[in-house]
Coordinates of all heavy atoms in Angstrom, one line a residue:
W1 N -7.0 -0.8 -6.5 CA -7.5 -0.1 -7.7 C -8.9 0.4 -7.5 O -9.7 -0.3 -7.0 CB -7.4 -1.0 -8.9 CG -7.8 -0.3 -10.2 CD1 -6.9 0.3 -11.1 CD2 -9.1 0.0 -10.7 NE1 -7.6 0.9 -12.1 CE2 -8.9 0.7 -11.9 CE3 -10.4 -0.3 -10.3 CZ2 -10.0 1.1 -12.7 CZ3 -11.5 0.1 -11.1 CH2 -11.2 0.8 -12.3
P2 N -9.2 1.7 -8.0 CA -8.3 2.8 -8.3 C -7.9 3.5 -7.0 O -8.8 3.7 -6.2 CB -9.1 3.6 -9.2 CG -10.5 3.4 -8.8 CD -10.6 2.0 -8.2
I3 N -6.7 3.9 -6.8 CA -6.3 4.5 -5.5 C -6.6 5.9 -5.4 O -6.5 6.5 -4.3 CB -4.8 4.2 -5.3 CG1 -4.0 5.0 -6.3 CG2 -4.5 2.7 -5.3 CD1 -2.5 4.9 -6.0
S4 N -7.0 6.6 -6.4 CA -7.3 8.1 -6.3 C -8.6 8.5 -6.7 O -9.0 9.7 -6.7 CB -6.2 8.8 -7.2 OG -6.5 8.6 -8.5
N5 N -9.5 7.6 -7.1 CA -10.8 7.9 -7.6 C -11.8 7.8 -6.5 O -12.3 6.7 -6.1 CB -11.2 7.0 -8.8 CG -12.5 7.5 -9.5 OD1 -13.3 8.3 -8.9 ND2 -12.7 7.1 -10.7
S6 N -12.3 8.9 -5.9 CA -13.1 8.9 -4.7 C -14.6 8.4 -5.1 O -15.4 8.1 -4.2 CB -13.2 10.2 -4.1 OG -13.7 11.2 -5.0
N7 N -14.9 8.4 -6.4 CA -16.2 8.0 -6.8 C -16.4 6.5 -7.0 O -17.5 6.0 -7.2 CB -16.6 8.7 -8.2 CG -16.6 10.2 -8.0 OD1 -17.1 10.7 -7.0 ND2 -16.1 10.9 -9.0
V8 N -15.3 5.8 -6.9 CA -15.3 4.3 -7.1 C -14.8 3.7 -5.8 O -13.7 4.1 -5.3 CB -14.5 3.9 -8.3 CG1 -14.6 2.4 -8.5 CG2 -15.1 4.6 -9.5
D9 N -15.5 2.7 -5.3 CA -14.9 2.0 -4.2 C -13.6 1.3 -4.5 O -13.4 0.7 -5.5 CB -15.9 0.9 -3.7 CG -17.2 1.5 -3.1 OD1 -17.1 2.6 -2.6 OD2 -18.2 0.8 -3.2
M10 N -12.6 1.4 -3.6 CA -11.4 0.8 -3.8 C -11.5 -0.7 -3.5 O -12.3 -1.1 -2.7 CB -10.3 1.4 -2.9 CG -9.9 2.8 -3.2 SD -8.4 3.3 -2.2 CE -9.0 3.1 -0.6
F11 N -10.8 -1.5 -4.3 CA -10.8 -2.9 -4.0 C -9.4 -3.5 -4.3 O -8.6 -2.9 -5.1 CB -11.8 -3.7 -4.9 CG -11.6 -3.6 -6.3 CD1 -10.8 -4.6 -7.0 CD2 -12.1 -2.6 -7.1 CE1 -10.6 -4.6 -8.3 CE2 -11.9 -2.6 -8.5 CZ -11.1 -3.6 -9.1
E12 N -9.1 -4.6 -3.7 CA -7.8 -5.2 -3.8 C -7.9 -6.3 -4.9 O -8.8 -7.0 -5.0 CB -7.4 -5.8 -2.5 CG -5.9 -6.1 -2.4 CD -5.5 -6.5 -1.0 OE1 -6.3 -7.1 -0.3 OE2 -4.3 -6.3 -0.6
Y13 N -6.8 -6.3 -5.8 CA -6.8 -7.3 -6.8 C -5.5 -8.0 -6.9 O -4.5 -7.5 -6.4 CB -7.2 -6.7 -8.2 CG -6.2 -5.8 -8.8 CD1 -5.2 -6.2 -9.6 CD2 -6.2 -4.4 -8.5 CE1 -4.2 -5.4 -10.1 CE2 -5.3 -3.5 -9.1 CZ -4.3 -4.0 -9.9 OH -3.4 -3.2 -10.4
Q14 N -5.4 -9.1 -7.5 CA -4.2 -9.9 -7.6 C -3.4 -9.5 -8.8 O -4.0 -9.5 -9.9 CB -4.6 -11.4 -7.6 CG -5.2 -11.9 -6.4 CD -6.2 -13.0 -6.7 OE1 -6.5 -13.4 -7.8 NE2 -6.8 -13.6 -5.6
T15 N -2.2 -9.2 -8.6 CA -1.3 -8.8 -9.8 C -0.8 -9.9 -10.6 O -0.4 -9.7 -11.8 CB -0.1 -8.0 -9.2 OG1 0.7 -8.9 -8.4 CG2 -0.6 -6.8 -8.4
G16 N -0.8 -11.1 -10.1 CA -0.3 -12.3 -10.9 C 1.1 -12.6 -10.5 O 1.7 -13.6 -11.1
I17 N 1.7 -11.8 -9.6 CA 3.1 -12.1 -9.2 C 3.2 -13.5 -8.6 O 4.2 -14.2 -8.8 CB 3.6 -11.1 -8.3 CG1 3.7 -9.7 -8.9 CG2 5.0 -11.4 -7.8 CD1 4.5 -9.6 -10.2
D18 N 2.2 -13.9 -7.9 CA 2.2 -15.3 -7.3 C 2.3 -16.3 -8.4 O 2.9 -17.4 -8.2 CB 1.0 -15.5 -6.4 CG 1.2 -14.9 -5.0 OD1 2.4 -14.5 -4.7 OD2 0.2 -14.7 -4.3
D19 N 1.6 -16.1 -9.5 CA 1.6 -17.0 -10.6 C 3.0 -17.2 -11.2 O 3.5 -18.2 -11.6 CB 0.6 -16.6 -11.7 CG -0.8 -16.5 -11.2 OD1 -1.2 -15.5 -10.6 OD2 -1.5 -17.5 -11.3
I20 N 3.7 -16.0 -11.3 CA 5.1 -16.0 -11.8 C 6.0 -16.8 -10.9 O 6.8 -17.7 -11.3 CB 5.6 -14.6 -12.0 CG1 4.8 -13.8 -13.0 CG2 7.1 -14.6 -12.4 CD1 5.1 -12.4 -13.1
R21 N 5.9 -16.6 -9.6 CA 6.7 -17.3 -8.6 C 6.4 -18.8 -8.7 O 7.3 -19.6 -8.5 CB 6.4 -16.7 -7.2 CG 7.0 -15.3 -7.1 CD 6.6 -14.7 -5.8 NE 7.2 -13.3 -5.7 CZ 6.6 -12.3 -5.2 NH1 5.3 -12.4 -4.7 NH2 7.1 -11.1 -5.1
A22 N 5.1 -19.1 -8.9 CA 4.8 -20.6 -9.0 C 5.5 -21.2 -10.2 O 6.0 -22.3 -10.2 CB 3.3 -20.7 -9.1
G23 N 5.5 -20.4 -11.3 CA 6.2 -20.9 -12.5 C 7.7 -21.1 -12.4 O 8.3 -22.0 -12.9
L24 N 8.3 -20.2 -11.6 CA 9.7 -20.2 -11.4 C 10.2 -21.2 -10.4 O 11.4 -21.6 -10.4 CB 10.2 -18.8 -11.0 CG 10.2 -17.7 -12.0 CD1 10.4 -16.3 -11.4 CD2 11.2 -17.9 -13.2
T25 N 9.3 -21.7 -9.6 CA 9.7 -22.7 -8.6 C 9.1 -24.0 -8.8 O 9.4 -25.0 -8.1 CB 9.2 -22.2 -7.2 OG1 7.8 -21.9 -7.2 CG2 9.9 -20.9 -6.7
R26 N 8.4 -24.2 -9.9 CA 7.8 -25.5 -10.2 C 8.9 -26.5 -10.6 O 9.8 -26.2 -11.3 CB 6.8 -25.4 -11.4 CG 6.1 -26.6 -11.8 CD 4.9 -26.3 -12.7 NE 5.3 -25.8 -14.0 CZ 5.6 -26.5 -15.0 NH1 5.5 -27.8 -15.0 NH2 5.9 -25.9 -16.2
D27 N 8.7 -27.7 -10.1 CA 9.6 -28.8 -10.4 C 9.5 -29.3 -11.9 O 8.3 -29.5 -12.3 CB 9.4 -30.0 -9.5 CG 9.8 -29.7 -8.1 OD1 10.7 -28.9 -7.9 OD2 9.2 -30.3 -7.1
V28 N 10.5 -29.3 -12.6 CA 10.5 -29.8 -14.0 C 11.7 -30.7 -14.2 O 12.7 -30.7 -13.5 CB 10.6 -28.6 -15.0 CG1 9.3 -27.7 -14.9 CG2 11.8 -27.7 -14.7
D29 N 11.5 -31.5 -15.2 CA 12.6 -32.5 -15.6 C 13.8 -31.7 -16.2 O 13.6 -30.9 -17.1 CB 12.0 -33.4 -16.7 CG 12.9 -34.6 -16.9 OD1 14.1 -34.4 -17.1 OD2 12.4 -35.8 -17.0

């Protein structure tokens, strides 16, 4: 983000998908 704005340095950020996968694979009673 942002992928098209040449005036701002691009940077990589976490979307949170890993957090969802952690919730779906967590051991629960």
Side-chain angles (χ1 to χ4, degrees):
W1 184 94
I3 64 171
S4 67
N5 188 343
S6 60
N7 296 320
V8 181
D9 291 333
M10 291 192 300
F11 66 90
E12 197 172 32
Y13 69 90
Q14 296 146 357
T15 62
I17 298 301
D18 281 343
D19 300 85
I20 299 174
R21 290 174 180 140
L24 290 169
T25 55
R26 183 165 65 89
D27 290 332
V28 293
D29 191 316

